[in-house]
Structure formats: C-alpha cells, structure tokens
Amino acid sequence: MTQVLFFHQLRYDLLALRRNRRSQVFILLLPLLLLCVFVGLYGTDTVEVAGHQVEANRASVPGVMSLAVLTGSFMALTMAVVYQREGGILKRRRAAPVPAAVLVLSRVVTATVSSVAAVAVMVVVADAAFGIDPPPGGLLPALFAVIVGSLCFACCGYAVASLVTNVESAQPILQFTLLPLQLLSGLYFPMSQL
C-alpha cells in the first residue's frame, strides 16, 4: 500500500515540477545560460585543475553542472517546502492517509530526477554545441555523483527549510548562504585562478 502511495505522490510531484515555470528557469535555463557564457568566455586557454592542464572552457563545465544539482535539489526543494508549509498545504497533506515518509521521499526523488535531467541536458548541449564530450567511462561515475550530491543537497534543503520562518525570507537566506560558498568553492572559476 505504501509503494502505491509513494508512486502516486511521486507522479504528482513530478507533474507539479514540470508545470512550475520558475523551477524550470532556475533548474534548466540558468545553468544552460551559464554554461554557454563560461564556455564562450574562457576559451581554450589551459588552466591547472587537480594537477592537470585542462582547457578552461572544459574545466568550467563540472562547476556549472554542480550548480544545476544545487538549484535542483537544494534551492527548489527548500523553496517548495517553505511555500507549502506557509500555505498550509503540508498540514492538509498530513490529514490525508499518506505517511509523512512518503511525502518526504517523493520530494527527494523528484529533486534527484530534476538534477539528473538538468545535468543530462547540459552534457548533451556541451557535446553538441561546444564539442566538450565526457571522458570515456566518465558518465556512470558522473551519474552516481549527481545522484549522491542531489540526495545530500535535498537533506540540507529540508534542514534549511525548517529554519526559514516565512516565504519572503527564504530567497534572501538561500542567496546569502549559497553565493559566498559558490564563489569560494571554485564553482565558477578553477581554484588555481582564485
């Protein structure tokens, strides 16, 4: 019975995500725009990444992909949970015969699916438009990293959502937390250039 409820809830969450234009912009379009900008901006000059000389445009792709995972799993999930909590939607769902674990797990799987889809689109665009193909045998480890990273960010998203008091404060809190970390982590620039 719980599996049926889970798949029903997952179908609903995926449909809601597909219809949410703001999520589509932040999960798919913004990382694609940044991918095009960074690949075009850096060119083929070489930079040092983890002791290896790599073309700068190629070195920027994993950082932008991690941004897609971050926005798909952490930001979108946190915003959705805060919005549903403040709107009373979560309270109404708790009155339904669906266990809380089903709601939480369905939202986490939805965030993971959106992250995997965003990274897959970016791999296709990077290869087709810019000739940046993944290394041989690199897709399976990358898929594993995206899934694990998405699950970790989803857990962090639930933790932060419990600290955010209202919808209006969610976006500034997320930006205040994430922007310095993104800049210092080498997400946009190789660590050797910081």
Side-chain angles (χ1 to χ4, degrees), residues 16-154:
L17 178 70
R18 191 183 71 168
R19 292 181 178 171
N20 188 344
R21 300 282 185 221
R22 185 178 60 183
S23 290
Q24 291 173 2
V25 167
F26 283 107
I27 295 171
L28 285 174
L29 293 180
L30 181 65
L32 276 176
L33 176 69
L34 289 175
L35 177 76
C36 294
V37 167
F38 286 152
V39 167
L41 179 70
Y42 289 137
T44 57
D45 296 337
T46 59
V47 294
E48 183 178 341
V49 177
H52 300 285
Q53 293 296 322
V54 179
E55 293 177 359
N57 59 2
R58 189 179 211 45
S60 67
V61 173
V64 178
M65 287 181 180
S66 64
L67 176 68
V69 173
L70 182 67
T71 56
S73 295
F74 182 74
M75 291 185 71
L77 185 132
T78 303
M79 293 296 291
V81 169
V82 170
Y83 173 77
Q84 289 181 351
R85 183 187 67 212
E86 295 300 312
I89 296 169
L90 292 180
K91 189 179 282 189
R92 286 193 300 271
R93 284 191 177 173
R94 285 291 292 158
V98 178
V102 168
L103 296 174
V104 170
L105 188 60
S106 172
R107 177 73 61 183
V108 168
V109 170
T110 301
T112 303
V113 167
S114 70
S115 296
V116 169
V119 169
V121 167
M122 289 176 43
V123 166
V124 169
V125 169
D127 188 19
F130 303 108
I132 301 174
D133 55 340
L139 286 178
L140 192 59
L143 176 66
F144 181 72
V146 168
I147 290 171
V148 170
S150 181
L151 292 174
C152 291
F153 281 132

Side-chain angles (χ1 to χ4, degrees), residues 5-23:
L5 291 173
F6 169 73
F7 286 115
H8 179 73
Q9 183 64 38
L10 180 63
R11 185 179 146 273
Y12 168 77
D13 285 340
L14 287 172
L15 186 63
L17 178 70
R18 191 183 71 168
R19 292 181 178 171
N20 188 344
R21 300 282 185 221
R22 185 178 60 183
S23 290

